[in-house]
Amino acid sequence: QCVRQQDRQEQQQGSGSKEGMAGHQCGSVLVTGANRGIGLELVKRFLGKPNPPKTVFATCRDPEGARGQELKSLTSKHPNLKILQLETTDPASVEAAAKKAEAHLGGSGLNLLINNAGIMPPCTLESATSKDMLDVYNTNLVGPMLVSKAFLPLLKKAAHASQQKGMSCGRAAIINMSTILGSIEKTPESYFFIPVVSYRCSKTALNMLTKCQSMGYKEEGILCTAVHPGWVKTELGSDQADLTVEESVNGIMNVLCNLSEKQHGVLVTWEGKVLPW
Ligand code: NDP
């Protein structure tokens, strides 16, 4: 439906954009790891929507540092952009960000939480150490768990206040940025090309977290979905990747627009296809 509305709008405006969610009103969204890569592009897309969210929380580890400057430069054009410091592995930082978001929302809830921050250091079965494994788990699994927990009261508030009946990103949702590399069933297709053992294991665990969240938050009406963005040209994905950030995020925006109960507790690709766990 959103794509059809977007198509109509594009025809009227003569725009070539393929971005979805045009007809989808989402009051507030929060993206972690938003200072570069997929996270930054998601923030730009939400801000650029014809009906942008009232608040876009873009969080990053060091908003004042060199890596925060591109994100910071967007604030002059977008008063609805609120940048928050958030180191996803630090409980104090996560709690402080949740408190700031709550104060900023002034009684409203948070509609959409995108757990995007992640790392993928090289790691083989031969090289893996205890520290390597735990560091990656900390960022890719513990981080999304802590952030989801801290923002849960705001997500619940949004779900309860919403006029919408079913599940959707416009009502209340947790999106965990996962990967096909975390799919156990798909591992034989890519293992020898890119082993990254710690990353694969951490994302498989993130998939399980998504499934657990989908069970635990179903009654609250909070949609929980894991998304594989494709192989994307970012620092993490490298220059060799298949997709530009724009192509991947075009797809993700369309997917977010169309998510419903059907994708609750499911891993879907940037094109909306269901992947096996
Ligand atoms: P990038 O390396 O381009 O960006 C990663 C982002 O995560 C940066 O903003 C980084 O911040 C942030 N980050 C890392 N660790 C933390 C932390 N502890 N706390 C807060 N922020 C943190 O990666 P991508 O944009 O490519 O990846 C985004 C997500 O998509 C990841 O979860 C990744 O696993 C997933 N993905 C990516 C694919 C790809 O091909 N690119 C494929 C499949 C999944 P800082 O600048 O401070 O380091």
Side-chain angles (χ1 to χ4, degrees), residues 227-241:
V227 172
H228 164 56
W231 186 22
V232 192
K233 291 186 207 300
T234 61
E235 277 189 45
L236 187 151
S238 86
D239 290 345
Q240 315 299 315

Side-chain angles (χ1 to χ4, degrees), residues 133-257:
M133 294 298 285
L134 293 174
D135 283 351
V136 177
Y137 265 66
N138 214 12
T139 301
N140 293 356
L141 171 68
V142 181
M145 186 276 295
L146 288 176
V147 173
S148 302
K149 218 173 132 189
F151 285 89
L152 184 62
L154 288 171
L155 289 161
K156 280 185 185 173
K157 198 180 266 187
H160 296 167
S162 175
Q163 306 295 319
Q164 297 178 34
K165 289 246 157 49
M167 285 180 168
S168 71
C169 290
R171 185 180 176 197
I174 298 173
I175 301 300
N176 292 325
M177 209 55 84
S178 186
T179 166
I180 195 168
L181 299 185
S183 163
I184 292 175
E185 202 174 313
K186 290 278 183 187
T187 302
E189 292 175 21
S190 62
Y191 177 74
F192 293 106
F193 174 55
I194 177 161
V196 286
V197 172
S198 56
Y199 181 72
R200 286 177 181 274
C201 295
S202 71
K203 292 289 187 175
T204 307
L206 178 66
N207 290 346
M208 176 55 93
L209 176 70
T210 310
K211 194 72 182 180
C212 293
Q213 289 173 330
S214 76
M215 304 303 291
Y217 305 152
K218 189 174 180 190
E219 289 305 309
E220 304 289 350
I222 301 170
L223 173 70
C224 302
T225 301
V227 172
H228 164 56
W231 186 22
V232 192
K233 291 186 207 300
T234 61
E235 277 189 45
L236 187 151
S238 86
D239 290 345
Q240 315 299 315
D242 293 332
L243 300 169
T244 63
V245 183
E246 292 78 13
E247 287 167 336
S248 166
V249 175
N250 272 345
I252 294 171
M253 293 298 283
N254 267 330
V255 167
L256 296 183
C257 170

Side-chain angles (χ1 to χ4, degrees), residues 253-274:
M253 293 298 283
N254 267 330
V255 167
L256 296 183
C257 170
N258 289 300
L259 290 180
S260 69
E261 285 86 350
K262 279 188 195 157
Q263 293 85 18
H264 184 58
V266 170
L267 170 63
V268 297
T269 71
W270 63 286
E271 294 175 298
K273 293 181 188 141
V274 175

Side-chain angles (χ1 to χ4, degrees), residues 33-37 39-40 43-44 47 58-76 81-86 235:
N35 56 309
R36 59 188 169 96
L40 178 62
V43 166
K44 287 181 181 170
L47 293 172
T59 78
C60 64
R61 296 199 260 209
D62 185 12
E64 300 307 323
R67 291 200 138 180
Q69 293 314 303
E70 190 176 351
L71 178 60
K72 239 179 135 184
S73 70
L74 298 173
T75 50
S76 55
L81 172 61
K82 175 86 182 147
I83 299 175
L84 298 175
Q85 194 280 336
L86 202 166
E235 277 189 45

